[in-house]
Amino acid sequence: MTLIARGLVLASAGLISLSVAADPAWSPAGADEARKTTTEDRGITATDQPNNPRDLDLAAAVRAAIVDDETLSTAAKNVTLVAASGQVTLRGTVDSAEEKARIERLAAGVAGVTEVRNDITVKAR
């Protein structure tokens, strides 16, 4: 008898049992609920950037203002930003409170920005 045949005989006789452990926390309903979280619950991410020309142009102008500032660290220049209807949301981690404030001022100074939401965190030292 081959090894495979022997395994099938043992399995069918109940001498070998196979079990698949499922994650009890996961369910299709749970996955649906995770997708339903609001922007406020999960925070704004780069994927929330509207794809219309006006908002894209505003985001590009804010990004240019940030990148062109030679006083900012690389981390500061790489913050996530989303521009939508004149509102700019900033997220990420920077090296200091001064950088956080500087980025907010730069964003607020761009033509077309009506509000800045600064969700940037300062790296713990």
Side-chain angles (χ1 to χ4, degrees):
M1 185 182 292
T2 68
L3 183 60
I4 294 174
R6 188 174 299 142
L8 291 175
V9 169
L10 292 173
S12 64
L15 299 173
I16 297 176
S17 65
L18 300 173
S19 66
V20 177
D23 180 359
W26 185 88
S27 71
D32 290 339
E33 288 302 313
R35 281 191 289 276
K36 290 180 185 176
T37 59
T38 64
T39 302
E40 290 78 24
D41 291 340
R42 64 179 168 79
I44 289 181
T45 66
T47 59
D48 294 315
Q49 176 62 54
N51 203 21
N52 64 65
R54 185 175 174 194
D55 289 333
L56 290 174
D57 289 345
L58 184 58
V62 173
R63 174 67 63 203
I66 293 169
V67 171
D68 290 344
D69 189 318
E70 295 297 322
T71 66
L72 295 175
S73 68
T74 301
K77 291 182 181 190
N78 285 310
V79 296
T80 299
L81 68 90
V82 174
S85 302
Q87 298 174 339
V88 175
T89 301
L90 304 166
R91 294 192 68 186
T93 304
V94 296
D95 295 334
S96 68
E98 293 78 20
E99 279 191 324
K100 177 180 177 175
R102 177 87 179 137
I103 293 169
E104 182 174 353
R105 284 192 306 274
L106 289 168
V110 172
V113 173
T114 58
E115 179 183 342
V116 176
R117 179 176 174 185
N118 191 344
D119 292 337
I120 295 173
T121 57
V122 176
K123 186 186 317 181
R125 294 183 187 222

